[in-house]
PDB file of all heavy atoms in Angstrom:
ATOM      1  N   GLU A   1      50.090  -5.178 -86.743  1.00 94.00           N
ATOM      2  CA  GLU A   1      49.016  -5.190 -85.745  1.00 94.00           C
ATOM      3  C   GLU A   1      48.969  -3.831 -85.054  1.00 94.00           C
ATOM      4  O   GLU A   1      49.989  -3.292 -84.633  1.00 94.00           O
ATOM      5  CB  GLU A   1      49.227  -6.294 -84.717  1.00 94.00           C
ATOM      6  CG  GLU A   1      48.051  -6.404 -83.763  1.00 94.00           C
ATOM      7  CD  GLU A   1      48.105  -7.622 -82.864  1.00 94.00           C
ATOM      8  OE1 GLU A   1      49.064  -8.409 -82.972  1.00 94.00           O
ATOM      9  OE2 GLU A   1      47.191  -7.776 -82.058  1.00 94.00           O
ATOM     10  N   LYS A   2      47.780  -3.272 -84.943  1.00 92.00           N
ATOM     11  CA  LYS A   2      47.559  -1.961 -84.323  1.00 92.00           C
ATOM     12  C   LYS A   2      46.525  -2.104 -83.223  1.00 92.00           C
ATOM     13  O   LYS A   2      45.792  -3.084 -83.171  1.00 92.00           O
ATOM     14  CB  LYS A   2      47.037  -0.961 -85.363  1.00 92.00           C
ATOM     15  CG  LYS A   2      47.957  -0.730 -86.527  1.00 92.00           C
ATOM     16  CD  LYS A   2      48.685   0.525 -86.329  1.00 92.00           C
ATOM     17  CE  LYS A   2      49.512   0.861 -87.562  1.00 92.00           C
ATOM     18  NZ  LYS A   2      50.210   2.095 -87.372  1.00 92.00           N
ATOM     19  N   VAL A   3      46.447  -1.092 -82.367  1.00 93.00           N
ATOM     20  CA  VAL A   3      45.446  -1.034 -81.309  1.00 93.00           C
ATOM     21  C   VAL A   3      44.648   0.249 -81.486  1.00 93.00           C
ATOM     22  O   VAL A   3      45.219   1.324 -81.671  1.00 93.00           O
ATOM     23  CB  VAL A   3      46.089  -1.055 -79.900  1.00 93.00           C
ATOM     24  CG1 VAL A   3      45.032  -0.980 -78.825  1.00 93.00           C
ATOM     25  CG2 VAL A   3      46.944  -2.291 -79.718  1.00 93.00           C
ATOM     26  N   ALA A   4      43.331   0.135 -81.455  1.00 89.00           N
ATOM     27  CA  ALA A   4      42.447   1.305 -81.525  1.00 89.00           C
ATOM     28  C   ALA A   4      41.751   1.467 -80.179  1.00 89.00           C
ATOM     29  O   ALA A   4      41.350   0.488 -79.555  1.00 89.00           O
ATOM     30  CB  ALA A   4      41.410   1.120 -82.626  1.00 89.00           C
ATOM     31  N   PHE A   5      41.625   2.707 -79.723  1.00 91.00           N
ATOM     32  CA  PHE A   5      40.891   3.028 -78.510  1.00 91.00           C
ATOM     33  C   PHE A   5      39.665   3.837 -78.902  1.00 91.00           C
ATOM     34  O   PHE A   5      39.739   4.710 -79.762  1.00 91.00           O
ATOM     35  CB  PHE A   5      41.762   3.842 -77.544  1.00 91.00           C
ATOM     36  CG  PHE A   5      42.928   3.068 -77.021  1.00 91.00           C
ATOM     37  CD1 PHE A   5      44.152   3.096 -77.670  1.00 91.00           C
ATOM     38  CD2 PHE A   5      42.794   2.282 -75.884  1.00 91.00           C
ATOM     39  CE1 PHE A   5      45.234   2.372 -77.198  1.00 91.00           C
ATOM     40  CE2 PHE A   5      43.874   1.551 -75.400  1.00 91.00           C
ATOM     41  CZ  PHE A   5      45.096   1.596 -76.060  1.00 91.00           C
ATOM     42  N   GLU A   6      38.528   3.539 -78.276  1.00 92.00           N
ATOM     43  CA  GLU A   6      37.289   4.239 -78.592  1.00 92.00           C
ATOM     44  C   GLU A   6      36.366   4.198 -77.384  1.00 92.00           C
ATOM     45  O   GLU A   6      36.538   3.383 -76.488  1.00 92.00           O
ATOM     46  CB  GLU A   6      36.602   3.615 -79.808  1.00 92.00           C
ATOM     47  CG  GLU A   6      36.253   2.161 -79.627  1.00 92.00           C
ATOM     48  CD  GLU A   6      36.007   1.423 -80.926  1.00 92.00           C
ATOM     49  OE1 GLU A   6      36.180   1.992 -82.001  1.00 92.00           O
ATOM     50  OE2 GLU A   6      35.641   0.241 -80.848  1.00 92.00           O
ATOM     51  N   VAL A   7      35.388   5.089 -77.392  1.00 94.00           N
ATOM     52  CA  VAL A   7      34.373   5.109 -76.352  1.00 94.00           C
ATOM     53  C   VAL A   7      33.136   4.402 -76.887  1.00 94.00           C
ATOM     54  O   VAL A   7      32.635   4.754 -77.954  1.00 94.00           O
ATOM     55  CB  VAL A   7      34.018   6.558 -75.937  1.00 94.00           C
ATOM     56  CG1 VAL A   7      32.880   6.566 -74.930  1.00 94.00           C
ATOM     57  CG2 VAL A   7      35.248   7.268 -75.385  1.00 94.00           C
ATOM     58  N   SER A   8      32.672   3.401 -76.169  1.00 93.00           N
ATOM     59  CA  SER A   8      31.423   2.722 -76.516  1.00 93.00           C
ATOM     60  C   SER A   8      30.317   3.383 -75.700  1.00 93.00           C
ATOM     61  O   SER A   8      30.303   3.287 -74.465  1.00 93.00           O
ATOM     62  CB  SER A   8      31.521   1.232 -76.192  1.00 93.00           C
ATOM     63  OG  SER A   8      30.320   0.584 -76.523  1.00 93.00           O
ATOM     64  N   ALA A   9      29.424   4.103 -76.376  1.00 93.00           N
ATOM     65  CA  ALA A   9      28.405   4.903 -75.693  1.00 93.00           C
ATOM     66  C   ALA A   9      27.312   4.018 -75.097  1.00 93.00           C
ATOM     67  O   ALA A   9      26.810   3.116 -75.752  1.00 93.00           O
ATOM     68  CB  ALA A   9      27.794   5.907 -76.656  1.00 93.00           C
ATOM     69  N   MET A  10      26.968   4.314 -73.838  1.00 92.00           N
ATOM     70  CA  MET A  10      25.864   3.624 -73.171  1.00 92.00           C
ATOM     71  C   MET A  10      24.627   4.522 -73.142  1.00 92.00           C
ATOM     72  O   MET A  10      23.511   4.045 -73.268  1.00 92.00           O
ATOM     73  CB  MET A  10      26.286   3.229 -71.762  1.00 92.00           C
ATOM     74  CG  MET A  10      27.447   2.233 -71.787  1.00 92.00           C
ATOM     75  SD  MET A  10      28.430   2.223 -70.303  1.00 92.00           S
ATOM     76  CE  MET A  10      27.469   1.221 -69.216  1.00 92.00           C
ATOM     77  N   THR A  11      24.839   5.825 -72.964  1.00 92.00           N
ATOM     78  CA  THR A  11      23.761   6.799 -73.098  1.00 92.00           C
ATOM     79  C   THR A  11      24.294   7.937 -73.960  1.00 92.00           C
ATOM     80  O   THR A  11      25.488   8.239 -73.937  1.00 92.00           O
ATOM     81  CB  THR A  11      23.293   7.375 -71.738  1.00 92.00           C
ATOM     82  OG1 THR A  11      24.375   8.081 -71.125  1.00 92.00           O
ATOM     83  CG2 THR A  11      22.780   6.279 -70.828  1.00 92.00           C
ATOM     84  N   LEU A  12      23.411   8.542 -74.712  1.00 90.00           N
ATOM     85  CA  LEU A  12      23.826   9.565 -75.667  1.00 90.00           C
ATOM     86  C   LEU A  12      22.661  10.495 -75.930  1.00 90.00           C
ATOM     87  O   LEU A  12      21.530  10.038 -76.092  1.00 90.00           O
ATOM     88  CB  LEU A  12      24.244   8.877 -76.972  1.00 90.00           C
ATOM     89  CG  LEU A  12      24.778   9.731 -78.103  1.00 90.00           C
ATOM     90  CD1 LEU A  12      26.136  10.307 -77.743  1.00 90.00           C
ATOM     91  CD2 LEU A  12      24.905   8.889 -79.362  1.00 90.00           C
ATOM     92  N   GLU A  13      22.943  11.799 -75.955  1.00 91.00           N
ATOM     93  CA  GLU A  13      21.895  12.760 -76.308  1.00 91.00           C
ATOM     94  C   GLU A  13      22.506  13.966 -77.001  1.00 91.00           C
ATOM     95  O   GLU A  13      23.633  14.349 -76.736  1.00 91.00           O
ATOM     96  CB  GLU A  13      21.112  13.201 -75.070  1.00 91.00           C
ATOM     97  CG  GLU A  13      21.926  13.952 -74.051  1.00 91.00           C
ATOM     98  CD  GLU A  13      21.118  14.356 -72.828  1.00 91.00           C
ATOM     99  OE1 GLU A  13      20.069  15.012 -72.986  1.00 91.00           O
ATOM    100  OE2 GLU A  13      21.561  14.030 -71.726  1.00 91.00           O
ATOM    101  N   ARG A  14      21.746  14.523 -77.916  1.00 92.00           N
ATOM    102  CA  ARG A  14      22.143  15.771 -78.572  1.00 92.00           C
ATOM    103  C   ARG A  14      21.584  16.904 -77.737  1.00 92.00           C
ATOM    104  O   ARG A  14      20.418  16.880 -77.349  1.00 92.00           O
ATOM    105  CB  ARG A  14      21.604  15.822 -79.999  1.00 92.00           C
ATOM    106  CG  ARG A  14      22.026  17.088 -80.723  1.00 92.00           C
ATOM    107  CD  ARG A  14      21.651  17.063 -82.166  1.00 92.00           C
ATOM    108  NE  ARG A  14      20.222  16.818 -82.330  1.00 92.00           N
ATOM    109  CZ  ARG A  14      19.602  16.781 -83.495  1.00 92.00           C
ATOM    110  NH1 ARG A  14      20.279  16.949 -84.603  1.00 92.00           N
ATOM    111  NH2 ARG A  14      18.320  16.560 -83.567  1.00 92.00           N
ATOM    112  N   LEU A  15      22.406  17.906 -77.468  1.00 91.00           N
ATOM    113  CA  LEU A  15      21.980  19.029 -76.628  1.00 91.00           C
ATOM    114  C   LEU A  15      21.381  20.135 -77.473  1.00 91.00           C
ATOM    115  O   LEU A  15      21.743  20.319 -78.632  1.00 91.00           O
ATOM    116  CB  LEU A  15      23.176  19.565 -75.835  1.00 91.00           C
ATOM    117  CG  LEU A  15      23.849  18.548 -74.915  1.00 91.00           C
ATOM    118  CD1 LEU A  15      25.043  19.181 -74.223  1.00 91.00           C
ATOM    119  CD2 LEU A  15      22.873  18.006 -73.891  1.00 91.00           C
ATOM    120  N   LYS A  16      20.488  20.867 -76.862  1.00 81.00           N
ATOM    121  CA  LYS A  16      19.909  22.045 -77.514  1.00 81.00           C
ATOM    122  C   LYS A  16      20.907  23.184 -77.431  1.00 81.00           C
ATOM    123  O   LYS A  16      21.762  23.221 -76.548  1.00 81.00           O
ATOM    124  CB  LYS A  16      18.601  22.432 -76.818  1.00 81.00           C
ATOM    125  CG  LYS A  16      17.551  21.366 -76.952  1.00 81.00           C
ATOM    126  CD  LYS A  16      16.288  21.785 -76.231  1.00 81.00           C
ATOM    127  CE  LYS A  16      15.269  20.682 -76.407  1.00 81.00           C
ATOM    128  NZ  LYS A  16      14.600  20.323 -75.189  1.00 81.00           N
ATOM    129  N   TRP A  17      20.791  24.133 -78.342  1.00 70.00           N
ATOM    130  CA  TRP A  17      21.705  25.265 -78.384  1.00 70.00           C
ATOM    131  C   TRP A  17      21.720  25.968 -77.033  1.00 70.00           C
ATOM    132  O   TRP A  17      20.684  26.290 -76.470  1.00 70.00           O
ATOM    133  CB  TRP A  17      21.284  26.236 -79.484  1.00 70.00           C
ATOM    134  CG  TRP A  17      22.203  27.403 -79.581  1.00 70.00           C
ATOM    135  CD1 TRP A  17      21.962  28.659 -79.134  1.00 70.00           C
ATOM    136  CD2 TRP A  17      23.508  27.424 -80.137  1.00 70.00           C
ATOM    137  NE1 TRP A  17      23.036  29.464 -79.381  1.00 70.00           N
ATOM    138  CE2 TRP A  17      24.011  28.730 -79.993  1.00 70.00           C
ATOM    139  CE3 TRP A  17      24.315  26.464 -80.726  1.00 70.00           C
ATOM    140  CZ2 TRP A  17      25.278  29.107 -80.427  1.00 70.00           C
ATOM    141  CZ3 TRP A  17      25.577  26.842 -81.161  1.00 70.00           C
ATOM    142  CH2 TRP A  17      26.035  28.139 -81.014  1.00 70.00           C
ATOM    143  N   GLY A  18      22.916  26.164 -76.466  1.00 62.00           N
ATOM    144  CA  GLY A  18      23.063  26.883 -75.207  1.00 62.00           C
ATOM    145  C   GLY A  18      22.969  26.004 -73.965  1.00 62.00           C
ATOM    146  O   GLY A  18      23.273  26.438 -72.875  1.00 62.00           O
ATOM    147  N   GLU A  19      22.565  24.741 -74.109  1.00 61.00           N
ATOM    148  CA  GLU A  19      22.481  23.831 -72.970  1.00 61.00           C
ATOM    149  C   GLU A  19      23.890  23.370 -72.614  1.00 61.00           C
ATOM    150  O   GLU A  19      24.709  23.116 -73.478  1.00 61.00           O
ATOM    151  CB  GLU A  19      21.611  22.624 -73.339  1.00 61.00           C
ATOM    152  CG  GLU A  19      21.318  21.686 -72.198  1.00 61.00           C
ATOM    153  CD  GLU A  19      20.384  20.543 -72.617  1.00 61.00           C
ATOM    154  OE1 GLU A  19      19.917  20.535 -73.757  1.00 61.00           O
ATOM    155  OE2 GLU A  19      20.158  19.676 -71.781  1.00 61.00           O
ATOM    156  N   SER A  20      24.178  23.251 -71.334  1.00 60.00           N
ATOM    157  CA  SER A  20      25.513  22.868 -70.890  1.00 60.00           C
ATOM    158  C   SER A  20      25.714  21.362 -71.051  1.00 60.00           C
ATOM    159  O   SER A  20      24.848  20.570 -70.693  1.00 60.00           O
ATOM    160  CB  SER A  20      25.713  23.256 -69.425  1.00 60.00           C
ATOM    161  OG  SER A  20      26.945  22.757 -68.966  1.00 60.00           O
ATOM    162  N   ALA A  21      26.885  20.989 -71.555  1.00 54.00           N
ATOM    163  CA  ALA A  21      27.217  19.569 -71.684  1.00 54.00           C
ATOM    164  C   ALA A  21      27.677  18.991 -70.346  1.00 54.00           C
ATOM    165  O   ALA A  21      27.718  17.801 -70.160  1.00 54.00           O
ATOM    166  CB  ALA A  21      28.294  19.370 -72.730  1.00 54.00           C
ATOM    167  N   GLU A  22      28.048  19.878 -69.425  1.00 56.00           N
ATOM    168  CA  GLU A  22      28.502  19.414 -68.120  1.00 56.00           C
ATOM    169  C   GLU A  22      27.290  19.060 -67.270  1.00 56.00           C
ATOM    170  O   GLU A  22      26.292  19.759 -67.246  1.00 56.00           O
ATOM    171  CB  GLU A  22      29.324  20.491 -67.429  1.00 56.00           C
ATOM    172  CG  GLU A  22      30.612  20.786 -68.172  1.00 56.00           C
ATOM    173  CD  GLU A  22      31.416  21.884 -67.524  1.00 56.00           C
ATOM    174  OE1 GLU A  22      31.165  22.182 -66.335  1.00 56.00           O
ATOM    175  OE2 GLU A  22      32.289  22.422 -68.185  1.00 56.00           O
ATOM    176  N   LYS A  23      27.405  17.959 -66.577  1.00 53.00           N
ATOM    177  CA  LYS A  23      26.332  17.497 -65.725  1.00 53.00           C
ATOM    178  C   LYS A  23      26.940  17.218 -64.368  1.00 53.00           C
ATOM    179  O   LYS A  23      27.970  16.574 -64.278  1.00 53.00           O
ATOM    180  CB  LYS A  23      25.713  16.235 -66.315  1.00 53.00           C
ATOM    181  CG  LYS A  23      24.414  15.836 -65.699  1.00 53.00           C
ATOM    182  CD  LYS A  23      23.840  14.667 -66.476  1.00 53.00           C
ATOM    183  CE  LYS A  23      22.411  14.398 -66.036  1.00 53.00           C
ATOM    184  NZ  LYS A  23      21.804  13.336 -66.783  1.00 53.00           N
ATOM    185  N   SER A  24      26.325  17.712 -63.318  1.00 36.00           N
ATOM    186  CA  SER A  24      26.891  17.483 -61.997  1.00 36.00           C
ATOM    187  C   SER A  24      26.800  16.029 -61.609  1.00 36.00           C
ATOM    188  O   SER A  24      25.827  15.360 -61.910  1.00 36.00           O
ATOM    189  CB  SER A  24      26.183  18.360 -60.958  1.00 36.00           C
ATOM    190  OG  SER A  24      24.819  18.012 -60.878  1.00 36.00           O
ATOM    191  N   VAL A  25      27.850  15.549 -60.980  1.00 34.00           N
ATOM    192  CA  VAL A  25      27.890  14.168 -60.500  1.00 34.00           C
ATOM    193  C   VAL A  25      27.861  14.209 -58.987  1.00 34.00           C
ATOM    194  O   VAL A  25      28.653  14.903 -58.365  1.00 34.00           O
ATOM    195  CB  VAL A  25      29.177  13.461 -60.994  1.00 34.00           C
ATOM    196  CG1 VAL A  25      29.250  12.053 -60.445  1.00 34.00           C
ATOM    197  CG2 VAL A  25      29.245  13.478 -62.499  1.00 34.00           C
TER     198      VAL A  25
END
């Protein structure tokens, strides 16, 4: 028996070249 961890995406977008992946919270 093993355990897998993963992220289940709720929102997702592909960024344009040069756009920052960081978003202010």
Side-chain angles (χ1 to χ4, degrees):
E1 186 171 0
K2 300 259 186 179
V3 179
F5 294 91
E6 59 199 5
V7 176
S8 180
M10 297 156 81
T11 63
L12 183 69
E13 64 181 305
R14 181 173 55 178
L15 301 178
K16 296 179 180 134
W17 181 256
E19 187 177 356
S20 174
E22 295 178 18
K23 193 174 190 177
S24 63
V25 177

